[in-house]
Amino acid sequence: MHLSRIEIAGFRGIKRLSLTLNELTVLIGENTWGKSSLLDALSIALSPDAKFHNFHFSDFHVDYSLGHTQVSQLQIVLNWVEDYPGEHKARRYRSFKPVWVRNGKDGKQFYYQISSEREDDKVITERHFLDAGGNIIDCPDSNKLARQLMVLHPIVRIRDARQLRLDAEQQEELDQEQRNALNTRIERRLDNTCRRLLTRPGHVSSDEIKSSIRALRTLVDHYFAFTPHHKTPHRGHRHFPERSHYSPNPLEMLARPEMTKQNKLVLMGLINAYIRARGPVELKRISRPIMILEDPEGRLHPIILHQAWAFVVNMPMQKILTTNSPELASVVPLNSIKKLNREPDKTRVYSLDSHSLSRDELRRVGFHVRLHRPGALYARAWLLVEGETEVWLLNEFGYRCGYNFASEGVQVIEFAQSGLRPIIKIAKLMGIEWHVVTDGDAAGKKYAETVRHMLGSESDKHRLTVLPDLDIEHFLFHHGYEPLFRKLARVSDDHPAPPKKIIQKALKHHAKPDVALAMVEFTDSEEIDHIPTLLRWLLKRIVALARASTT
C-alpha cells in the first residue's frame, strides 16, 4: 500500500492543494509557496510516535487576499491505494476492512481525513475514514485505525544535509531523555566512527569502517527492512524503483573499495540521520516508513550529492524530496518532479503526466534541458530561440536594458536540438511562461506555424516574435550593425557587396560565439545609438511574463 494523494485545505500556508504522490516525488517551487506546510501536514497526519496533533489557531490558513482573514476550518485527506490486487487481505491491513472502498475493477483504496474547526476560543478536531463520495464511514474504531496507520506508514523526516554530519555540538543539544533513548551500543559506535572520520580520517581503519557498516546493517534491518515487501520477486511494488528487486542492497555501496572515507562518511551519516529522524520512537518491524528528505544539497559538494542520491534512490520505500538544486533535479525522472505555484485561490501543482510526451520527446528534451540547462526547470519564463547566437546576445542585451535574467527567473534556451513542440509542451505542463523567437527564413516560418497551432485562442503576439530578416545576423546588419560585419568580414565600407555575402564572410573568419561577443562589444561602443526596438520590446515582454507568473 502506498500514499497516492494528499488533499489539504486551510492549513498554514496552503489555502487549497491537491497533490498526487509517486514512488518518488520531487517538490520544487519558490519560497513561501507551500512546500513546508505540505510536509508539516504529512508529518502531523503520520507522526512516527502515533500521537494525535493538537491543532492551534496558528495552524489555520490566513487569506491575505481577503485582508488577513483567517479561515475557520482546515482539512487534510490522505488517499491510500493497494500496490497489487489483494494486498488489503494482508495481515497488517486486515483491521482496515471496514474502510476499504473499491478502486477500479479489482483494486482497493481508502481515504483518511483529519478535520479541525475553530469555535470561539476552542479548536475541535475529528478523524474519520471516508467513502468514494467523500461521506464519513460509520466506524467506531476510527481513532484506533488512525493510530495504526501512523504505526504502519510513519513519516521519517530529514530536514537538510546538515543533519548528515554529526558533531559534538549536535549531540549536546539532545536532552538527557532523548540520549537515553537513542544512545544504544550500536548507535554510539556509529556516532564515534562518523565523528572520527570527520575530524581525524587518517586514524580510522578499514576494519573500523567495516564494523560500523555491520552496525548500520543491524540498525537498518531492524528499523527499515531494505528487502522489498512483496510476496514474490516477480511482482514489484508500484512505489518501489523500477526493477528494484534486481538492485543491490544500498548498504553494499559502503563496502565498495573505490569509495573514499569522505564518501563513506556522507552515506553513513545519511543512514544515521535517517534512523535518528524517527525521534525517540522505535518503529515496529511491520512499519513501512515514508521518507521525507528536505534540501539534501545543503553543504554537499555536487559529486558527494550525486553519490548520496544514488544511495537514497535505492532505498525501497516511498520518498518525498524537496530541492533547490539544478544538479539534483537533472538526475531525477521528469515525471517525478512536482512544481508548486501559489495562486490567490489555491496552490497549483504542475507536473508531467505519463502520456503528455512520447518516449522520443522525453529523451530529446530530457537530454537538452535537464542535462544541458537543468536550472531551466526552476525558471519562471523561457525565452525560446533557434541557436546559440541568440542565447549569447539576448542574455547580454537583457543586461544592457537593465534586466537581470537570473533574478527575474528568465532562461534563454535554444530549441533546435530538442524540437520546439515538446519543449513548449513541457513549459505548459510545468507552469513556465514562454515566448518564441524565430528567424524569418523558411525554417523559422515553420517554427512560427508550430507555435500558432499550439496557441489555441491565445494571441500570437504574446508568444511569438518572427524576425523580419533571414536570421539574427541579417536583422542586426540592417539595424545599425553593418560596420561591425564589414570589419569582421574584412570588407571595406565602400565595397558594394550584398549583406548575405558580408555576413557569410564574417562567419567564415570568426566562430559564432566570437561574432556574438563582438556584437556585444559593438553595442557598448558609441558607434550605435541603442539596441533595436524589436529586441527591446521582446526583452520587456519576457520579463513581464516572468513577473506576472508570481502574482
Side-chain angles (χ1 to χ4, degrees), residues 285-318:
R285 292 192 66 85
I286 61 172
S287 296
R288 304 295 181 259
I290 298 174
M291 182 176 73
I292 293 177
L293 187 57
E294 296 182 65
D295 304 328
E297 65 271 11
R299 297 188 183 181
L300 289 183
H301 187 279
I303 294 176
I304 304 299
L305 175 64
H306 281 277
Q307 292 174 344
W309 174 246
F311 178 88
V312 170
V313 77
N314 281 316
M315 298 177 80
M317 60 188 65
Q318 198 167 6

mmCIF file of all heavy atoms in Angstrom, residues 285-318:
data_model
loop_
_atom_site.group_PDB
_atom_site.id
_atom_site.type_symbol
_atom_site.label_atom_id
_atom_site.label_comp_id
_atom_site.label_asym_id
_atom_site.label_seq_id
_atom_site.Cartn_x
_atom_site.Cartn_y
_atom_site.Cartn_z
ATOM 1 N N ARG A 285 8.538 -3.497 13.385
ATOM 2 C CA ARG A 285 9.087 -4.217 12.229
ATOM 3 C C ARG A 285 8.103 -4.225 11.063
ATOM 4 O O ARG A 285 8.497 -4.379 9.910
ATOM 5 C CB ARG A 285 9.450 -5.643 12.621
ATOM 6 C CG ARG A 285 10.618 -5.733 13.582
ATOM 7 C CD ARG A 285 11.121 -7.173 13.699
ATOM 8 N NE ARG A 285 11.688 -7.643 12.449
ATOM 9 C CZ ARG A 285 12.945 -7.434 12.062
ATOM 10 N NH1 ARG A 285 13.769 -6.735 12.823
ATOM 11 N NH2 ARG A 285 13.372 -7.898 10.920
ATOM 12 N N ILE A 286 6.816 -4.072 11.336
ATOM 13 C CA ILE A 286 5.834 -4.055 10.257
ATOM 14 C C ILE A 286 5.739 -2.677 9.601
ATOM 15 O O ILE A 286 5.033 -2.506 8.616
ATOM 16 C CB ILE A 286 4.441 -4.469 10.771
ATOM 17 C CG1 ILE A 286 3.964 -3.490 11.854
ATOM 18 C CG2 ILE A 286 4.437 -5.897 11.258
ATOM 19 C CD1 ILE A 286 2.519 -3.724 12.265
ATOM 20 N N SER A 287 6.448 -1.691 10.142
ATOM 21 C CA SER A 287 6.364 -0.335 9.613
ATOM 22 C C SER A 287 6.972 -0.238 8.220
ATOM 23 O O SER A 287 7.996 -0.854 7.924
ATOM 24 C CB SER A 287 7.078 0.645 10.544
ATOM 25 O OG SER A 287 6.447 0.705 11.801
ATOM 26 N N ARG A 288 6.329 0.525 7.371
ATOM 27 C CA ARG A 288 6.845 0.851 6.039
ATOM 28 C C ARG A 288 6.936 2.369 5.966
ATOM 29 O O ARG A 288 6.009 3.024 5.489
ATOM 30 C CB ARG A 288 5.920 0.310 4.942
ATOM 31 C CG ARG A 288 5.662 -1.192 5.030
ATOM 32 C CD ARG A 288 6.930 -1.992 4.794
ATOM 33 N NE ARG A 288 6.677 -3.425 4.864
ATOM 34 C CZ ARG A 288 6.954 -4.184 5.920
ATOM 35 N NH1 ARG A 288 7.466 -3.622 7.008
ATOM 36 N NH2 ARG A 288 6.711 -5.468 5.897
ATOM 37 N N PRO A 289 8.017 2.961 6.458
ATOM 38 C CA PRO A 289 8.096 4.425 6.561
ATOM 39 C C PRO A 289 8.066 5.115 5.205
ATOM 40 O O PRO A 289 8.457 4.559 4.175
ATOM 41 C CB PRO A 289 9.442 4.661 7.256
ATOM 42 C CG PRO A 289 9.802 3.352 7.868
ATOM 43 C CD PRO A 289 9.221 2.307 6.986
ATOM 44 N N ILE A 290 7.602 6.348 5.217
ATOM 45 C CA ILE A 290 7.718 7.250 4.073
ATOM 46 C C ILE A 290 8.810 8.255 4.428
ATOM 47 O O ILE A 290 8.742 8.907 5.462
ATOM 48 C CB ILE A 290 6.398 7.986 3.803
ATOM 49 C CG1 ILE A 290 5.291 6.985 3.462
ATOM 50 C CG2 ILE A 290 6.571 9.006 2.669
ATOM 51 C CD1 ILE A 290 3.912 7.622 3.323
ATOM 52 N N MET A 291 9.823 8.348 3.600
ATOM 53 C CA MET A 291 10.946 9.222 3.897
ATOM 54 C C MET A 291 10.748 10.584 3.249
ATOM 55 O O MET A 291 10.457 10.681 2.053
ATOM 56 C CB MET A 291 12.265 8.627 3.409
ATOM 57 C CG MET A 291 13.467 9.501 3.757
ATOM 58 S SD MET A 291 15.054 8.787 3.293
ATOM 59 C CE MET A 291 15.008 8.965 1.520
ATOM 60 N N ILE A 292 10.897 11.622 4.053
ATOM 61 C CA ILE A 292 10.928 12.999 3.554
ATOM 62 C C ILE A 292 12.350 13.517 3.720
ATOM 63 O O ILE A 292 12.886 13.520 4.823
ATOM 64 C CB ILE A 292 9.944 13.906 4.318
ATOM 65 C CG1 ILE A 292 8.499 13.495 4.021
ATOM 66 C CG2 ILE A 292 10.161 15.367 3.941
ATOM 67 C CD1 ILE A 292 7.472 14.296 4.791
ATOM 68 N N LEU A 293 12.943 13.927 2.632
ATOM 69 C CA LEU A 293 14.309 14.447 2.645
ATOM 70 C C LEU A 293 14.270 15.883 2.117
ATOM 71 O O LEU A 293 14.002 16.112 0.939
ATOM 72 C CB LEU A 293 15.216 13.575 1.777
ATOM 73 C CG LEU A 293 16.714 13.863 1.800
ATOM 74 C CD1 LEU A 293 17.267 13.787 3.213
ATOM 75 C CD2 LEU A 293 17.459 12.888 0.902
ATOM 76 N N GLU A 294 14.524 16.843 3.004
ATOM 77 C CA GLU A 294 14.420 18.254 2.636
ATOM 78 C C GLU A 294 15.785 18.832 2.278
ATOM 79 O O GLU A 294 16.719 18.765 3.059
ATOM 80 C CB GLU A 294 13.818 19.060 3.787
ATOM 81 C CG GLU A 294 12.388 18.675 4.132
ATOM 82 C CD GLU A 294 11.838 19.540 5.233
ATOM 83 O OE1 GLU A 294 11.680 20.752 5.008
ATOM 84 O OE2 GLU A 294 11.582 19.011 6.330
ATOM 85 N N ASP A 295 15.879 19.375 1.084
ATOM 86 C CA ASP A 295 17.054 20.109 0.629
ATOM 87 C C ASP A 295 18.361 19.380 0.931
ATOM 88 O O ASP A 295 19.214 19.887 1.657
ATOM 89 C CB ASP A 295 17.081 21.499 1.266
ATOM 90 C CG ASP A 295 15.808 22.280 0.984
ATOM 91 O OD1 ASP A 295 15.224 22.082 -0.091
ATOM 92 O OD2 ASP A 295 15.392 23.078 1.842
ATOM 93 N N PRO A 296 18.559 18.187 0.382
ATOM 94 C CA PRO A 296 19.776 17.434 0.688
ATOM 95 C C PRO A 296 21.048 18.065 0.127
ATOM 96 O O PRO A 296 22.143 17.642 0.491
ATOM 97 C CB PRO A 296 19.517 16.066 0.031
ATOM 98 C CG PRO A 296 18.571 16.368 -1.083
ATOM 99 C CD PRO A 296 17.688 17.469 -0.561
ATOM 100 N N GLU A 297 20.903 19.073 -0.731
ATOM 101 C CA GLU A 297 22.102 19.668 -1.336
ATOM 102 C C GLU A 297 22.853 20.588 -0.387
ATOM 103 O O GLU A 297 23.978 20.994 -0.681
ATOM 104 C CB GLU A 297 21.717 20.459 -2.588
ATOM 105 C CG GLU A 297 20.837 21.676 -2.332
ATOM 106 C CD GLU A 297 19.357 21.364 -2.345
ATOM 107 O OE1 GLU A 297 18.996 20.176 -2.341
ATOM 108 O OE2 GLU A 297 18.562 22.319 -2.348
ATOM 109 N N GLY A 298 22.271 20.937 0.755
ATOM 110 C CA GLY A 298 22.934 21.866 1.665
ATOM 111 C C GLY A 298 24.290 21.353 2.125
ATOM 112 O O GLY A 298 24.404 20.257 2.657
ATOM 113 N N ARG A 299 25.333 22.159 1.910
ATOM 114 C CA ARG A 299 26.698 21.886 2.351
ATOM 115 C C ARG A 299 27.320 20.644 1.714
ATOM 116 O O ARG A 299 28.324 20.139 2.202
ATOM 117 C CB ARG A 299 26.751 21.730 3.871
ATOM 118 C CG ARG A 299 26.343 22.987 4.624
ATOM 119 C CD ARG A 299 26.595 22.826 6.098
ATOM 120 N NE ARG A 299 26.154 23.998 6.836
ATOM 121 C CZ ARG A 299 26.277 24.126 8.152
ATOM 122 N NH1 ARG A 299 26.822 23.171 8.867
ATOM 123 N NH2 ARG A 299 25.843 25.213 8.753
ATOM 124 N N LEU A 300 26.740 20.136 0.648
ATOM 125 C CA LEU A 300 27.328 18.976 -0.015
ATOM 126 C C LEU A 300 27.889 19.375 -1.369
ATOM 127 O O LEU A 300 27.225 20.061 -2.151
ATOM 128 C CB LEU A 300 26.289 17.870 -0.216
ATOM 129 C CG LEU A 300 25.808 17.122 1.028
ATOM 130 C CD1 LEU A 300 24.842 16.019 0.611
ATOM 131 C CD2 LEU A 300 26.962 16.536 1.808
ATOM 132 N N HIS A 301 29.114 18.929 -1.643
ATOM 133 C CA HIS A 301 29.689 19.107 -2.969
ATOM 134 C C HIS A 301 28.835 18.324 -3.971
ATOM 135 O O HIS A 301 28.299 17.261 -3.655
ATOM 136 C CB HIS A 301 31.128 18.574 -2.958
ATOM 137 C CG HIS A 301 31.870 18.849 -4.224
ATOM 138 N ND1 HIS A 301 31.721 18.070 -5.353
ATOM 139 C CD2 HIS A 301 32.765 19.824 -4.551
ATOM 140 C CE1 HIS A 301 32.491 18.537 -6.313
ATOM 141 N NE2 HIS A 301 33.132 19.597 -5.861
ATOM 142 N N PRO A 302 28.679 18.847 -5.216
ATOM 143 C CA PRO A 302 27.823 18.145 -6.180
ATOM 144 C C PRO A 302 28.185 16.679 -6.389
ATOM 145 O O PRO A 302 27.297 15.841 -6.572
ATOM 146 C CB PRO A 302 28.037 18.957 -7.470
ATOM 147 C CG PRO A 302 28.341 20.339 -6.994
ATOM 148 C CD PRO A 302 29.130 20.152 -5.726
ATOM 149 N N ILE A 303 29.466 16.348 -6.366
ATOM 150 C CA ILE A 303 29.859 14.940 -6.545
ATOM 151 C C ILE A 303 29.341 14.100 -5.387
ATOM 152 O O ILE A 303 28.759 13.017 -5.575
ATOM 153 C CB ILE A 303 31.389 14.812 -6.669
ATOM 154 C CG1 ILE A 303 31.871 15.500 -7.954
ATOM 155 C CG2 ILE A 303 31.811 13.340 -6.656
ATOM 156 C CD1 ILE A 303 33.383 15.516 -8.107
ATOM 157 N N ILE A 304 29.540 14.595 -4.151
ATOM 158 C CA ILE A 304 29.065 13.874 -2.976
ATOM 159 C C ILE A 304 27.540 13.805 -2.997
ATOM 160 O O ILE A 304 26.941 12.791 -2.616
ATOM 161 C CB ILE A 304 29.552 14.561 -1.682
ATOM 162 C CG1 ILE A 304 31.086 14.690 -1.703
ATOM 163 C CG2 ILE A 304 29.110 13.781 -0.463
ATOM 164 C CD1 ILE A 304 31.819 13.380 -1.782
ATOM 165 N N LEU A 305 26.897 14.869 -3.456
ATOM 166 C CA LEU A 305 25.438 14.891 -3.535
ATOM 167 C C LEU A 305 24.935 13.786 -4.455
ATOM 168 O O LEU A 305 23.984 13.075 -4.119
ATOM 169 C CB LEU A 305 24.971 16.255 -4.044
ATOM 170 C CG LEU A 305 23.467 16.409 -4.303
ATOM 171 C CD1 LEU A 305 22.693 16.256 -3.005
ATOM 172 C CD2 LEU A 305 23.173 17.759 -4.945
ATOM 173 N N HIS A 306 25.559 13.618 -5.602
ATOM 174 C CA HIS A 306 25.135 12.579 -6.536
ATOM 175 C C HIS A 306 25.353 11.191 -5.945
ATOM 176 O O HIS A 306 24.544 10.289 -6.155
ATOM 177 C CB HIS A 306 25.889 12.715 -7.863
ATOM 178 C CG HIS A 306 25.329 13.787 -8.753
ATOM 179 N ND1 HIS A 306 24.256 13.583 -9.584
ATOM 180 C CD2 HIS A 306 25.675 15.090 -8.923
ATOM 181 C CE1 HIS A 306 23.974 14.690 -10.242
ATOM 182 N NE2 HIS A 306 24.816 15.625 -9.858
ATOM 183 N N GLN A 307 26.441 11.007 -5.210
ATOM 184 C CA GLN A 307 26.685 9.712 -4.589
ATOM 185 C C GLN A 307 25.662 9.418 -3.500
ATOM 186 O O GLN A 307 25.171 8.292 -3.379
ATOM 187 C CB GLN A 307 28.108 9.666 -4.027
ATOM 188 C CG GLN A 307 29.172 9.671 -5.111
ATOM 189 C CD GLN A 307 30.578 9.773 -4.547
ATOM 190 O OE1 GLN A 307 30.770 10.134 -3.394
ATOM 191 N NE2 GLN A 307 31.568 9.479 -5.374
ATOM 192 N N ALA A 308 25.330 10.437 -2.708
ATOM 193 C CA ALA A 308 24.307 10.259 -1.681
ATOM 194 C C ALA A 308 22.956 9.966 -2.335
ATOM 195 O O ALA A 308 22.185 9.136 -1.846
ATOM 196 C CB ALA A 308 24.221 11.502 -0.803
ATOM 197 N N TRP A 309 22.666 10.637 -3.455
ATOM 198 C CA TRP A 309 21.393 10.411 -4.129
ATOM 199 C C TRP A 309 21.315 8.999 -4.685
ATOM 200 O O TRP A 309 20.253 8.362 -4.629
ATOM 201 C CB TRP A 309 21.193 11.427 -5.249
ATOM 202 C CG TRP A 309 19.956 11.125 -6.047
ATOM 203 C CD1 TRP A 309 19.881 10.749 -7.339
ATOM 204 C CD2 TRP A 309 18.623 11.165 -5.559
ATOM 205 N NE1 TRP A 309 18.573 10.539 -7.709
ATOM 206 C CE2 TRP A 309 17.784 10.791 -6.633
ATOM 207 C CE3 TRP A 309 18.053 11.473 -4.328
ATOM 208 C CZ2 TRP A 309 16.397 10.714 -6.502
ATOM 209 C CZ3 TRP A 309 16.674 11.410 -4.203
ATOM 210 C CH2 TRP A 309 15.865 11.032 -5.272
ATOM 211 N N ALA A 310 22.420 8.491 -5.227
ATOM 212 C CA ALA A 310 22.423 7.120 -5.730
ATOM 213 C C ALA A 310 22.079 6.135 -4.621
ATOM 214 O O ALA A 310 21.469 5.090 -4.864
ATOM 215 C CB ALA A 310 23.798 6.783 -6.325
ATOM 216 N N PHE A 311 22.451 6.480 -3.400
ATOM 217 C CA PHE A 311 22.105 5.644 -2.255
ATOM 218 C C PHE A 311 20.621 5.780 -1.927
ATOM 219 O O PHE A 311 19.902 4.793 -1.759
ATOM 220 C CB PHE A 311 22.962 6.044 -1.055
ATOM 221 C CG PHE A 311 22.657 5.284 0.195
ATOM 222 C CD1 PHE A 311 23.295 4.084 0.458
ATOM 223 C CD2 PHE A 311 21.730 5.759 1.105
ATOM 224 C CE1 PHE A 311 23.002 3.380 1.603
ATOM 225 C CE2 PHE A 311 21.437 5.067 2.260
ATOM 226 C CZ PHE A 311 22.079 3.870 2.512
ATOM 227 N N VAL A 312 20.131 7.009 -1.851
ATOM 228 C CA VAL A 312 18.746 7.259 -1.445
ATOM 229 C C VAL A 312 17.765 6.643 -2.429
ATOM 230 O O VAL A 312 16.756 6.048 -2.034
ATOM 231 C CB VAL A 312 18.495 8.779 -1.324
ATOM 232 C CG1 VAL A 312 17.009 9.075 -1.142
ATOM 233 C CG2 VAL A 312 19.282 9.353 -0.156
ATOM 234 N N VAL A 313 18.046 6.760 -3.722
ATOM 235 C CA VAL A 313 17.091 6.307 -4.720
ATOM 236 C C VAL A 313 16.888 4.797 -4.646
ATOM 237 O O VAL A 313 15.847 4.277 -5.060
ATOM 238 C CB VAL A 313 17.548 6.736 -6.133
ATOM 239 C CG1 VAL A 313 18.680 5.841 -6.644
ATOM 240 C CG2 VAL A 313 16.372 6.736 -7.104
ATOM 241 N N ASN A 314 17.848 4.051 -4.109
ATOM 242 C CA ASN A 314 17.721 2.604 -3.995
ATOM 243 C C ASN A 314 17.064 2.166 -2.698
ATOM 244 O O ASN A 314 16.892 0.960 -2.489
ATOM 245 C CB ASN A 314 19.096 1.935 -4.113
ATOM 246 C CG ASN A 314 19.566 1.842 -5.553
ATOM 247 O OD1 ASN A 314 18.794 1.488 -6.431
ATOM 248 N ND2 ASN A 314 20.810 2.176 -5.794
ATOM 249 N N MET A 315 16.709 3.100 -1.826
ATOM 250 C CA MET A 315 16.007 2.719 -0.601
ATOM 251 C C MET A 315 14.574 2.348 -0.977
ATOM 252 O O MET A 315 13.831 3.176 -1.505
ATOM 253 C CB MET A 315 16.040 3.871 0.402
ATOM 254 C CG MET A 315 17.444 4.247 0.832
ATOM 255 S SD MET A 315 17.518 5.664 1.952
ATOM 256 C CE MET A 315 17.104 4.879 3.492
ATOM 257 N N PRO A 316 14.160 1.104 -0.744
ATOM 258 C CA PRO A 316 12.872 0.608 -1.261
ATOM 259 C C PRO A 316 11.696 1.081 -0.421
ATOM 260 O O PRO A 316 11.084 0.323 0.324
ATOM 261 C CB PRO A 316 13.043 -0.907 -1.194
ATOM 262 C CG PRO A 316 13.967 -1.105 -0.036
ATOM 263 C CD PRO A 316 14.903 0.071 -0.031
ATOM 264 N N MET A 317 11.382 2.350 -0.546
ATOM 265 C CA MET A 317 10.257 2.930 0.177
ATOM 266 C C MET A 317 9.794 4.163 -0.569
ATOM 267 O O MET A 317 10.497 4.680 -1.453
ATOM 268 C CB MET A 317 10.681 3.294 1.607
ATOM 269 C CG MET A 317 11.823 4.294 1.661
ATOM 270 S SD MET A 317 12.462 4.527 3.328
ATOM 271 C CE MET A 317 13.144 2.903 3.660
ATOM 272 N N GLN A 318 8.618 4.638 -0.242
ATOM 273 C CA GLN A 318 8.125 5.854 -0.859
ATOM 274 C C GLN A 318 8.925 7.034 -0.323
ATOM 275 O O GLN A 318 9.190 7.137 0.875
ATOM 276 C CB GLN A 318 6.630 6.029 -0.542
ATOM 277 C CG GLN A 318 5.927 6.991 -1.460
ATOM 278 C CD GLN A 318 4.409 6.905 -1.329
ATOM 279 O OE1 GLN A 318 3.883 6.197 -0.471
ATOM 280 N NE2 GLN A 318 3.701 7.622 -2.180
#
